[in-house]
Amino acid sequence: MAVFVALGAFLMTLAGGWTAQRVTDRRHLVLGLAGGLMLGVVGLDLLPEALEAAGEEVYGVPAALLLFVAGFLLAHLVERLLAVRQAAHGAEETDGRAPEVGLTAAAAMVGHSAMDGVAIGAAFQVGGGMGAAVAVAVIAHDFADGFNTYTITSLYGNARRRALAMLFADAAAPVVGAACTTFVTIPETLLGGYLGLFGGALLYLAAAEILPEAHHEHPARSTVLCTIAGAAFIWLVVGMAS
């Protein structure tokens, strides 16, 4: 049942990626929406789950928040190191962005989607009602995952075939994750730590890259409204699942 439900997440992820690539003539709106979706996923979905799952404190600070900050700094460090390496080797960048950063971020999205599948499988092990509630949340926000995966990969100058490859990997990840729950169970504290780390990296990409790019050439109200709409959509999804 969990794998069957995860197929819905597969289709929803592809739908999100298809939407992202079809509206290239409104790129600033796409990026504004992606930034809002990413902000909503981090603040309203990932961080609350991380704090609940990894509740231990380290020197008075929840471990999930420490990993959140570490993820933010790690994303910044990786981007800078890749940019410096490309500049040193005379490699071409796209608007000062290293394509590897986009691939790395997309790979993190794939890992997150796999954890979504694990969450579906674990919830169905608890009970049918719990499984259905988690499935609704995962399937709904996987549209945002597919949208963001394609957008991030393309934003950093990767070819369309690479963006599509990462999109399909992201779509398949929930199915693989759900299937894995029949063989292995991930400790809750480990899952919470991962969510915190990934949330920090995702917030960096949204705040330092996606949103500034969205307003670079088109500082329009419509872009801001798309950002607000993206965050509100995630709020609606989280509220429906609670």
Side-chain angles (χ1 to χ4, degrees), residues 95-184:
D95 296 329
R97 293 183 171 86
E100 292 90 343
V101 174
L103 292 176
T104 301
M109 296 292 294
V110 173
H112 172 58
S113 294
M115 292 300 102
D116 282 346
V118 171
I120 292 176
F124 271 102
Q125 290 177 4
V126 174
M130 174 68 72
V134 172
V136 169
V138 169
I139 291 175
H141 96 251
D142 272 354
F143 179 88
D145 284 351
F147 190 98
N148 289 335
T149 298
Y150 186 90
T151 301
I152 290 172
T153 309
S154 300
L155 177 63
Y156 282 85
N158 290 284
R160 183 173 180 270
R161 59 182 178 81
R162 283 189 176 183
L164 289 175
M166 296 308 299
L167 174 62
F168 276 97
D170 188 49
V175 181
V176 175
C180 287
T181 58
T182 60
F183 306 104
V184 66

Side-chain angles (χ1 to χ4, degrees), residues 3-191:
V3 176
F4 177 76
V5 170
L7 290 175
F10 173 87
L11 295 176
M12 190 63 77
T13 302
L14 292 182
W18 179 85
T19 301
Q21 64 175 312
R22 293 290 294 180
V23 291
T24 53
D25 58 327
R26 294 289 184 269
R27 185 169 178 268
H28 59 292
L29 299 181
V30 171
L31 294 176
L33 180 61
L37 290 170
M38 293 165 72
L39 176 62
V41 167
V42 172
L44 306 178
D45 187 15
L46 293 181
L47 267 185
E49 288 186 22
L51 287 170
E52 183 177 353
E56 296 183 1
E57 292 189 353
V58 180
Y59 289 102
V61 178
L65 290 182
L66 288 175
L67 287 168
F68 174 78
V69 174
F72 188 98
L73 295 175
L74 180 62
H76 176 61
L77 179 63
V78 168
E79 183 188 38
R80 290 297 89 206
L81 288 177
L82 289 174
V84 169
R85 189 191 71 177
Q86 286 209 184
H89 289 80
E92 182 180 356
E93 296 183 19
T94 302
D95 296 329
R97 293 183 171 86
E100 292 90 343
V101 174
L103 292 176
T104 301
M109 296 292 294
V110 173
H112 172 58
S113 294
M115 292 300 102
D116 282 346
V118 171
I120 292 176
F124 271 102
Q125 290 177 4
V126 174
M130 174 68 72
V134 172
V136 169
V138 169
I139 291 175
H141 96 251
D142 272 354
F143 179 88
D145 284 351
F147 190 98
N148 289 335
T149 298
Y150 186 90
T151 301
I152 290 172
T153 309
S154 300
L155 177 63
Y156 282 85
N158 290 284
R160 183 173 180 270
R161 59 182 178 81
R162 283 189 176 183
L164 289 175
M166 296 308 299
L167 174 62
F168 276 97
D170 188 49
V175 181
V176 175
C180 287
T181 58
T182 60
F183 306 104
V184 66
T185 301
I186 298 179
E188 185 178 16
T189 55
L190 182 62
L191 181 60

